[in-house]
Amino acid sequence: MIPCATSLVLALVQTAVAPAVTPPHSLFEFPVGEVAARIARLEPSTLPAATPPDLGAAGRVPAVALEAWSQAATWKAWSALVEAEARTAHADPERRARLALLAAAHGRSDDAWRHFAAIEDSAWHAAILPRFLPGVPANSDSGAGGAPGALLDDVVLSPSLPPASPNAPRDGRVDRRAMSSNAIKIGAAQVSMRVSVEAEGVQIDVRHVAGESARFAVLLPSVPGFIFADEYVDWYVQDARGVPHTVEVKPGEAEHTIYGRFEPRPRVQPNAVPHVVPGSIAQGGLWFTIADSDPGRALVVALAADLEQRSFGFRCGVRAPHSPARSWSGVDFALEDRGTRAEKLAWLASAIEEFALQRSSR
């Protein structure tokens, strides 16, 4: 029961939670779709791919470490991966795995799952699935069959949002969907986790399955277009939001619930991603506008310089707001507002990925 004034009418008109597909070994449930089809191929004996030690420079960052994207090195590693992947005829599983991890770290769960679905090698699915569910830390080992390796008590889990449902609404309504796993080993306990996006919030249910007690923390994943007005543990409102919440599961107990109640916020309204570079950008370039005195300008300058050298088909530069344009046909990408800058840059990364990768023959 949601601890707020729930609108029955709103609940009734929301899209139903997408049907779930359960792989043969019943470790996971996911919404019907390409991701579920990939996970259904996993067997309990499927071993994870060996991840190279240098993955840290290009994707092995904590699933919740948005601050990683405030570093020019992260953007440079990302753009190099996108450029390389766009030049190949078939999806490279390691590059896609890295791009999936980077997208997850950026809060772009839909992009992350698209990269996951583009991978054909089940060994790579087994390697990175634990980063999404239950959201293990970056230095954690992956177990067989897509399960995480053994985790220590007091681990912090940061699950991603479930994959989008096949018929996700496009009219502003919440896309209700869920995913779950019962293959999580923490200390001497086996634990299940269910992550669901509901009509009025995000809900994570954790339950003791077997073994002894376990203590761990869970961070709620954010949903684009919403903030959490309140966060709850077992329906008790918490003083702090946007932080991991600690739970302890014990044999014989009922499940524990971490819940974030939605509060809408103004969204950045993106344009559709074109199939070719628009003439205005091809001829005049893409210009990031940001004040010379802004502390974030150095990152934007580094990003523009990196994009300029890539083979994405457009020039890129930086100028101060309201300064004369270098070309009559160039397009400005306004980054003056610090409150929306991160969201705009995340959209830009998503758009560049979609544009570059749709040109490669898949």
Side-chain angles (χ1 to χ4, degrees):
M1 182 174 181
I2 297 174
C4 58
T6 304
S7 167
L8 178 60
V9 174
L10 177 63
L12 289 174
V13 300
Q14 295 296 325
T15 304
V17 173
V21 167
T22 305
H25 49 89
S26 300
L27 294 182
F28 310 102
E29 289 189 358
F30 276 80
V32 171
E34 292 183 350
V35 171
R38 297 291 188 268
I39 293 173
R41 298 177 186 176
L42 292 172
E43 298 294 339
S45 58
T46 304
L47 295 177
T51 53
D54 67 343
L55 194 55
R60 199 171 176 82
V61 292
V64 296
L66 285 175
E67 62 268 21
W69 282 90
S70 66
Q71 302 170 11
T74 302
W75 285 95
K76 187 173 183 178
W78 162 81
S79 64
L81 288 167
V82 175
E83 183 180 49
E85 186 66 4
R87 290 173 172 170
T88 61
H90 302 285
D92 178 81
E94 183 176 330
R95 273 198 297 266
R96 287 290 184 143
R98 297 186 184 203
L99 286 168
L101 296 179
L102 280 165
H106 213 179
R108 297 185 282 115
S109 62
D110 286 350
D111 292 339
W113 286 120
R114 276 192 287 269
H115 291 306
F116 184 96
I119 298 171
E120 293 290 344
D121 187 344
S122 292
W124 279 100
H125 294 143
I128 66 173
L129 180 57
R131 293 287 299 280
F132 301 101
L133 180 69
V136 300
N139 58 355
S140 301
D141 292 330
S142 297
L151 300 167
L152 299 176
D153 276 318
D154 295 314
V155 66
V156 177
L157 302 176
S158 51
S160 297
L161 295 173
S165 55
N167 299 307
R170 300 181 181 275
D171 56 2
R173 290 180 295 158
V174 175
D175 176 22
R176 297 180 61 202
R177 71 266 193 202
M179 63 181 182
S180 67
S181 169
N182 62 12
I184 307 164
K185 294 182 179 180
I186 302 175
Q190 182 178 346
V191 178
S192 71
M193 173 183 286
R194 183 178 189 271
V195 182
S196 60
V197 181
E198 305 293 347
E200 295 185 350
V202 174
Q203 183 167 325
I204 299 178
D205 298 311
V206 293
R207 182 173 56 86
H208 185 275
V209 175
E212 301 176 12
S213 300
R215 175 186 168 93
F216 54 95
V218 181
L219 182 73
L220 286 160
S222 61
V223 178
F226 295 90
I227 59 174
F228 292 133
D230 291 296
E231 296 183 10
Y232 302 82
V233 175
D234 291 334
W235 308 122
Y236 289 95
V237 67
Q238 303 298 292
D239 294 331
R241 292 176 293 172
V243 300
H245 299 294
T246 299
V247 293
E248 185 173 3
V249 296
K250 299 178 181 179
E253 277 190 337
E255 68 184 12
H256 295 269
T257 297
I258 302 98
Y259 182 81
R261 179 168 60 85
F262 285 150
E263 179 177 287
R265 64 178 177 182
R267 294 193 64 177
V268 173
Q269 296 298 327
N271 297 320
V273 177
H275 290 275
V276 296
V277 177
S280 56
I281 295 180
Q283 297 177 36
L286 178 67
W287 293 92
F288 297 132
T289 60
I290 187 170
D292 293 340
S293 60
D294 194 301
R297 194 174 194 276
L299 172 66
V300 175
V301 169
L303 172 60
D306 181 63
L307 294 178
E308 174 84 11
Q309 69 170 336
R310 300 298 176 190
S311 57
F312 296 145
F314 60 88
R315 294 170 44 233
C316 196
V318 182
R319 66 183 184 85
H322 313 301
S323 63
R326 304 291 180 88
S327 170
W328 66 270
S329 61
V331 170
D332 287 347
F333 193 85
L335 294 174
E336 303 96 281
D337 183 1
R338 299 183 192 181
T340 61
R341 185 181 301 160
E343 188 176 359
K344 285 185 175 181
L345 287 175
W347 176 85
L348 178 68
S350 181
I352 289 174
E353 281 186 7
E354 182 179 345
F355 172 76
L357 298 181
Q358 74 186 354
R359 294 185 303 169
S360 57
S361 56
R362 294 287 184 262

